[in-house]
Amino acid sequence: MSTALLLWAVPARAWHSTLYPADWQPPTNGAVYFETNKLIQDFSYAGYKAGEASLPVIAGPVFNVTQSPYNADKTGATNATTAIQSAINAAQAAGGGVVFLPAGLYSISPQGANAYALTITSSNLVLRGAGVGATFLLNTSTNMRSKSIILLSGSSSAGFYSSGAASTTISQDLLGPTMEIPVASTSGFATGQWVVVRADCTDAWITEHNEPDWIGYGSQLGGVAYFRRVVAVSANKITINAPTRYYLKMRDNARVVRLSAAPLLGCGLEDFSIGNVQDNGTGWGENDYTVSGTGAYDVHDSFAIRIVRARDSWARNVATFQPAGNTTTAHLLSNGILLLESSQITLTNCDFGHAQYGGGGGNGYQYRLQNANECLLDNCRSTFTRHGFVLSHMASSGNVYHECTDKDSGRQTGDTGLQSTAGSNSDHHMHFSHGNLIDTCTGDNSGFEARYRPYGTAPLHDLTAAHSVFWNTRGINGGPSYVVTTEQSRYGYVIGTRGTRSGVSLSTYGGTKCDPLDHVEGTAQGDTLEPLSLYEDQLNRRLSLPLVTLPTDLTLGFPTNSVRLQPSVQIGSQPAA
């Protein structure tokens, strides 16, 4: 008689981070301090309307660019820039609507001295195609130095560092996260106003961070800045709609600035492919962007899309494509999409990549958030470029990369189709971005970084991050054994990794400037980490609470925070074209 040994598979036990237990509550000023405590911030305010409403489906009015009086050519045979821009201008004059591009190929290019092919400068306008792989926007110009194919731009008076219409100083140091700002006076402030809570980058602040390279460059660095809306005003206190992300000290002239103009609101880019004809020039080296006459010089600092001084706007289902005739396989000349001095922007289901140039000076970045607050990149993909997802500058905070993939970084097509670049990976790139979340993202033959970077021109990149979280990062395919490199100021956090490349590198470029060591927990155990997604868990926690209804948003005509799902919206009274 024989016996058989039965082996039962025992599932791995789920675990919680020591910093994010099942009963976690958002950290608050007075209970925790940015300078001394480890803390997981509340990242649930990222994206369109802080996640409290779904992205809208705007019904109209509709301005069909192929119909009279615009008559844009959708065969690509003739340039359609003027026709499409005329439809955009008409929609802006009508107070908003949908500029619709039926399936086809639209040849466009910057006209005259313009630094863009198409531009949107008014709120409530959607540029919509018939779908990725159906509507194609093709920029035919390669003279694109510091230019964009599409530019969305709000008023300069809505900038994070604008002087504003009024200002009041804080009345006590705020050393932890808070939405309640005690101030010297609330005169001139009211519910619903746009404000920036900010502090100067003083030499005292720089010295406190042991960064002598930055002494004397504080005005250029700007200082921490949080673009917010006022939700309540009481005696000597202003309450804002999302928490601060780093300390604010009276010593650094911390203050609340009331802006004199609103940002661009309610704009969307939807359902199209975008690309650029390749540059057939030579000279694609790291520093050739400084050499006139090279291909690198002509395409330096170009972007497919720039979104500047905008809020509660979005891009969804937008992808790059390889135009016919691009023998190098290039989709774009250099950069993909830039969010600059913008807040609560959502990018979802976007796919950008295949940069022709990824040299020095800021080229080959597919998604760059520069001085951007509380933006959400959801299910976005970067392929074959120098850097996939980039955070930079002191006003970049509260942003979330959620379920994004960076594949094959450290690449450019150049003039051969496959060339290596001096930089790689998705990174916190420069100048103390802080309090950001990289959540359930994948490095596919690539990785994610928040390390000390003593590069560039003065002021050097140096301290790139503080209090940013890498949550449940997955590494697959080629590259080193580690998927995350971290070396942040104060504390940084790597919680849960998974995949075939699940290691964590604790970089030491900055030495004592980055003491103490970052918090690393659950290496190679991300598959059993609870919750799987930090962002989703925090959003669900917050939205289970009653919402405070803000005053009616005059741009859309309904209370901004009173709904979670938003139906189709008809803007204006003009009938569909």
Side-chain angles (χ1 to χ4, degrees):
M1 183 177 181
S2 64
T3 60
L5 178 63
L6 298 180
L7 299 178
W8 296 92
V10 178
R13 178 173 296 179
W15 60 281
H16 286 264
S17 167
T18 58
L19 302 181
Y20 196 77
D23 60 353
W24 173 88
Q25 294 294 319
T28 57
N29 182 50
V32 295
Y33 303 98
F34 288 116
E35 292 181 271
T36 56
N37 292 122
K38 295 181 180 180
L39 67 152
I40 299 295
Q41 300 184 54
D42 187 349
F43 295 101
S44 68
Y45 296 86
Y48 177 83
K49 292 195 178 290
E52 293 161 7
S54 299
L55 290 182
V57 180
I58 307 301
V62 175
F63 300 80
N64 187 322
V65 302
T66 63
Q67 295 179 357
S68 180
Y70 317 115
N71 302 317
D73 177 16
K74 63 177 183 177
T75 71
T78 59
N79 193 288
T81 308
T82 300
I84 298 172
Q85 188 63 52
S86 294
I88 292 172
N89 295 345
Q92 293 182 147
V98 176
V99 175
F100 179 58
L101 293 86
L105 175 66
Y106 299 86
S107 295
I108 56 176
S109 59
Q111 302 295 293
N114 290 343
Y116 52 81
L118 302 173
T119 186
I120 295 170
T121 56
S122 296
S123 295
N124 304 322
L125 190 144
V126 174
L127 185 65
R128 179 184 296 158
V132 169
T135 295
F136 298 88
L137 283 172
L138 173 61
N139 184 44
T140 59
S141 173
T142 58
N143 180 23
M144 291 296 291
R145 186 177 179 88
S146 298
K147 296 180 183 179
S148 310
I149 302 175
I150 300 174
L151 171 65
L152 281 68
S153 183
S155 169
S156 61
S157 296
F160 283 20
Y161 297 108
S162 62
S163 57
S167 178
T168 183
T169 57
I170 69 170
S171 56
Q172 67 183 60
D173 290 349
L174 300 173
L175 304 182
T178 184
M179 290 188 284
E180 296 186 344
I181 314 297
V183 292
S185 171
T186 59
S187 177
F189 288 85
T191 301
Q193 291 175 342
W194 301 107
V195 297
V196 177
V197 183
R198 53 176 294 201
D200 296 335
C201 184
T202 62
D203 283 352
W205 188 100
I206 293 168
T207 300
E208 204 162 59
H209 289 78
N210 194 22
E211 193 46 84
D213 289 344
W214 289 353
I215 293 291
Y217 290 98
S219 61
Q220 186 173 334
L221 292 166
V224 299
Y226 309 111
F227 190 97
R228 299 292 189 260
R229 200 168 192 181
V230 177
V231 298
V233 177
S234 58
N236 297 323
K237 184 174 69 177
I238 295 172
T239 304
I240 54 179
N241 67 317
T244 55
R245 302 291 179 186
Y246 200 62
Y247 73 63
L248 296 158
K249 293 185 177 181
M250 299 172 67
R251 174 202 67 193
D252 303 321
N253 190 28
R255 59 203 182 275
V256 182
V257 178
R258 175 166 61 87
L259 298 177
S260 58
L264 204 64
L265 296 165
C267 288
L269 303 173
E270 305 176 344
D271 303 319
F272 60 82
S273 298
I274 188 168
N276 209 109
V277 298
Q278 72 184 29
D279 189 305
N280 291 320
T282 59
W284 299 99
E286 176 74 2
N287 295 313
D288 282 343
Y289 73 95
T290 65
V291 181
S292 179
T294 63
Y297 184 92
D298 290 340
V299 308
H300 167 64
D301 188 38
S302 63
F303 279 87
I305 298 168
R306 274 184 169 94
I307 299 178
V308 184
R309 295 182 293 275
R311 183 179 170 99
D312 292 327
S313 297
W314 65 92
R316 61 181 162 197
N317 305 327
V318 178
T320 60
F321 74 100
Q322 179 183 342
N326 277 16
T327 57
T328 64
T329 73
H331 293 192
L332 300 173
L333 296 176
S334 179
N335 300 299
I337 184 165
L338 171 69
L339 304 184
L340 176 63
E341 292 195 84
S342 293
S343 177
Q344 290 187 190
I345 307 294
T346 291
L347 309 181
T348 184
N349 297 323
C350 293
D351 191 344
F352 282 66
H354 293 273
Q356 185 168 17
Y357 186 53
N363 288 286
Y365 303 179
Q366 288 313 294
Y367 302 86
R368 179 165 186 157
L369 275 59
Q370 180 172 327
N371 286 335
N373 285 176
E374 315 298 323
C375 294
L376 172 66
L377 276 65
D378 170 62
N379 193 33
C380 291
R381 183 178 177 87
S382 170
T383 306
F384 202 92
T385 192
R386 181 180 181 122
H387 296 297
F389 299 87
V390 173
L391 290 154
S392 70
H393 290 71
M394 294 187 72
S396 281
S397 66
N399 302 294
V400 174
Y401 294 137
H402 174 246
E403 293 190 351
C404 293
T405 297
D406 182 1
K407 177 176 172 58
D408 297 336
S409 66
R411 305 284 192 274
Q412 66 178 31
T413 72
D415 53 3
T416 67
L418 175 57
Q419 297 171 354
S420 296
T421 59
S424 62
N425 295 325
S426 291
D427 68 0
H428 295 65
H429 198 73
M430 61 198 299
H431 299 165
F432 205 82
S433 61
H434 56 280
N436 298 288
L437 170 64
I438 292 80
D439 181 62
T440 57
C441 289
T442 295
D444 181 349
N445 193 27
S446 190
F448 295 85
E449 298 182 352
R451 64 178 174 87
Y452 193 82
R453 304 186 75 249
Y455 311 129
T457 58
L460 300 181
H461 297 359
D462 285 357
L463 294 172
T464 65
H467 287 296
S468 285
V469 179
F470 295 93
W471 185 275
N472 217 345
T473 311
R474 182 173 71 134
I476 58 175
N477 295 322
S481 61
Y482 52 88
V483 66
V484 175
T485 301
T486 185
E487 185 190 17
Q488 302 185 42
S489 179
R490 300 322 193 230
Y491 284 106
Y493 315 93
V494 184
I495 299 174
T497 59
R498 54 199 167 105
T500 56
R501 298 169 41 244
S502 58
V504 177
S505 173
L506 290 170
S507 179
T508 57
Y509 282 93
T512 59
K513 293 180 180 181
C514 298
D515 285 346
L517 285 177
D518 290 349
H519 178 96
V520 179
E521 186 180 4
T523 301
Q525 299 178 50
D527 287 327
T528 52
L529 172 61
E530 288 191 355
L532 177 69
S533 166
L534 178 63
Y535 166 73
E536 290 180 3
D537 187 72
Q538 290 184 331
L539 183 64
N540 289 335
R541 287 173 186 252
R542 182 166 62 85
L543 295 191
S544 69
L545 300 174
L547 294 178
V548 176
T549 299
L550 296 180
T552 298
D553 185 331
L554 298 179
T555 64
L556 291 177
F558 56 83
T560 56
N561 287 341
S562 63
V563 293
R564 306 201 198 287
L565 297 176
Q566 184 173 338
S568 297
V569 178
Q570 181 85 14
I571 299 173
S573 57
Q574 178 175 328

